């Protein structure tokens, strides 16, 4: 069962046979996990969340732009130039430092906004088969080995290997940049080095089902998902 806690990359489920993935994750391709087993796994791997961390305050973000050794040396050079009454050189160095800090601050701010949007892709609920019964539960409770049901209009609640699919199409622009929905196929055979955007046997957290239906086995949750790694 050590495979359960590891990242999807250690399992390469996109390139494995469906039955093999089910066996490796100790799942059940028909009835799903029992409630007791799901609880045990949840305690082991933690909740299916991509992270709720506190962002650094803006003043700290601005201060961080002046922490590198090169910047500190240039700042010292500016002070020395000012003391030597080389005012033009001092002001020029300081202006360059401020411009560099503004560019760095802007880049980090855009990255923060992008990450906030990615975290917002988390799914509140999921349709899951537990102990043979179809249940709608909080997506945070999903664990590797769970059996999820996908239908048009739903968001994918975790990374999962498709076991069955019927005209399934998934929008993955938020994760891979693909501008059009991707046709998925549970029966396809893929090499282990298949790029993320071409893994048609898989569905990923943060993407959305636009057509068709499917049943998939959860292979990774939380920070072990492709979205979580970002």
């Amino acid at each position: 069962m050590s495979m359960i806690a590891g990242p999807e990359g250690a399992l390469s489920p996109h390139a494995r046979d469906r039955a093999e993935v089910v066996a490796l994750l100790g799942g059940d391709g028909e009835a799903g996990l029992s409630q007791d087993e799901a609880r045990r796994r949840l305690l082991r791997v933690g909740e299916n969340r991509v992270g709720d961390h506190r962002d650094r305050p803006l003043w700290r973000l601005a201060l961080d732009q002046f922490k590198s050794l090169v910047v500190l040396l240039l700042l010292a050079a500016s002070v020395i130039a000012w003391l030597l009454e080389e005012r033009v050189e001092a002001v020029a160095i300081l202006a360059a430092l401020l411009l560099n800090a503004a560019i760095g601050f802007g880049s980090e701010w855009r990255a923060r906004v992008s990450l906030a949007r990615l975290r917002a892709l988390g799914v509140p609920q999921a349709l899951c088969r537990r102990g043979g019964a179809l249940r709608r539960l909080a997506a945070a409770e999903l664990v590797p080995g769970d059996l999820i049901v996908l239908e048009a209009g739903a968001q994918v609640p975790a990374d999962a290997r498709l076991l069955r699919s019927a005209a399934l199409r998934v929008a993955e622009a938020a994760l891979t940049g693909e501008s059009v929905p991707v046709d998925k196929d549970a029966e396809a055979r893929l090499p282990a080095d298949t790029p993320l955007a071409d893994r048609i046997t898989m569905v990923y957290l943060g993407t959305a089902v636009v057509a068709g239906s499917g049943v998939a086995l959860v292979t990774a949750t939380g920070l072990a998902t492709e979205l979580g790694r970002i």
Side-chain angles (χ1 to χ4, degrees):
M1 298 296 292
S2 60
M3 288 290 228
I4 292 176
E8 179 195 317
L11 179 61
S12 299
H14 66 275
R16 294 181 182 270
D17 181 76
R18 292 170 290 179
E20 186 180 5
V21 176
V22 172
L24 284 170
L25 287 171
D28 185 318
E30 297 298 331
L33 298 175
S34 68
Q35 284 289 89
D36 289 341
E37 177 60 21
R39 277 193 290 268
R40 283 193 290 270
R41 296 189 184 194
L42 186 61
L43 290 174
R44 186 182 309 168
V45 303
E47 291 190 337
N48 178 32
R49 299 183 188 276
V50 294
D52 298 314
H53 67 278
R54 182 177 298 175
D55 287 323
R56 287 177 296 172
L58 293 181
W59 66 266
R60 180 66 180 275
L61 199 62
L63 187 62
D64 285 347
Q65 308 308 314
F66 297 93
K67 291 176 66 175
S68 76
L69 179 60
V70 173
V71 170
L72 292 176
L73 288 174
L74 288 173
L75 190 59
S78 177
V79 173
I80 293 172
W82 184 270
L83 293 175
L84 294 176
E85 297 189 354
E86 299 288 346
R87 304 298 167 81
V88 175
E89 289 80 357
V91 171
I93 294 173
L94 186 59
L97 288 176
L98 291 175
L99 179 61
N100 178 73
I103 293 173
F105 181 87
S107 297
E108 291 203 30
W109 175 257
R110 287 193 297 272
R112 175 187 288 193
V113 171
S114 296
L115 286 172
R117 289 173 179 170
L118 286 173
R119 289 198 297 269
L121 293 175
V123 186
Q125 289 193 321
L127 197 57
C128 177
R129 190 171 293 280
R130 289 264 180 93
L134 197 59
R135 306 169 183 268
R136 191 171 293 278
L137 46 76
E141 298 177 15
L142 289 178
V143 295
D146 258 329
L147 201 62
I148 55 174
V149 177
L150 305 170
E151 51 192 9
Q155 285 185 286
V156 179
D159 289 5
R161 171 61 161 91
L162 287 167
L163 302 184
R164 295 184 289 280
S165 61
L168 184 64
R169 303 186 74 205
V170 179
E172 298 183 331
L175 186 63
T176 66
E178 289 289 330
S179 59
V180 296
V182 179
D183 293 317
K184 298 292 183 174
D185 184 358
E187 299 181 4
R189 303 302 294 261
L190 304 176
D193 61 355
T194 302
L196 180 66
D198 297 327
R199 296 177 185 176
I200 60 175
T201 58
M202 298 289 298
V203 289
Y204 294 100
L205 173 64
T207 61
V209 179
V210 297
S213 61
V215 175
L217 189 80
V218 174
T219 58
T221 58
L223 294 178
T225 63
E226 294 295 337
L227 179 62
R229 293 179 202 178
I230 296 175

